Amino acid sequence: METRSLFDRLGGAHGISAIVDDIVAAHAANPTIRARFLPILEMPERLAVIKKHTCAFLAAGSGGPADYQGRSMRDAHRGMNVSEAEYMAAVDDILDVLKKRAIDEGTQKDVLAIAYSLKGEILHV
């Protein structure tokens, strides 16, 4: 049984930051959700804020020392009307990044459990 926190298994703050960078790149390349990310990529300051909040959210939610001060998932996605297909494309990107970074299967499952627990706060709000 794994005794290290999910935060540690993801590589701590540095590992989570690298994972977030890869996820953003994967989302920008994914034809299902690319249109939502391309405008953000053209605004470096906004992109930096989104990455910072995402890293803090993942760090805090995985047992790390970060104190997340951003919006709730519902508030962050309000008005976006995210479809099931878009949600699944984003989750697939996350899983692909974890696999490419050789994150073990148990840790992948833990991250996916978190992603699925947030589904109701992201879809169609």
Side-chain angles (χ1 to χ4, degrees):
M1 183 170 152
E2 181 65 60
T3 58
R4 294 183 309 148
S5 70
L6 180 57
F7 176 79
D8 289 334
R9 289 181 281 144
L10 291 171
H14 178 73
I16 287 174
S17 179
I19 288 168
V20 168
D21 285 343
D22 289 353
I23 290 170
V24 168
H27 288 350
N30 187 321
T32 304
I33 57 178
R34 173 184 322 159
R36 293 194 183 269
F37 288 88
L38 291 180
I40 296 168
L41 295 175
E42 295 172 2
M43 297 181 284
E45 300 84 16
R46 180 161 159 72
L47 179 60
V49 169
I50 289 170
K51 284 183 176 183
K52 177 183 173 189
H53 282 298
T54 303
C55 288
F57 181 83
L58 289 174
S62 64
D67 182 28
Y68 178 67
Q69 298 292 320
R71 297 181 290 167
S72 69
M73 283 294 111
R74 182 171 299 283
D75 288 343
H77 293 87
R78 189 174 313 283
M80 292 177 65
N81 196 28
V82 175
S83 71
E84 179 84 24
E86 290 172 314
Y87 174 81
M88 290 309 301
V91 169
D92 288 345
D93 287 346
I94 293 167
L95 184 57
D96 287 345
V97 165
L98 296 176
K99 287 178 179 178
K100 287 177 184 170
R101 291 195 152 270
I103 302 294
D104 68 271
E105 189 173 318
T107 300
Q108 291 175 34
K109 287 179 181 178
D110 289 345
V111 171
L112 290 179
I114 293 169
Y116 283 118
S117 76
L118 298 169
K119 184 176 181 179
E121 297 179 41
I122 295 171
L123 285 184
H124 305 293
V125 293

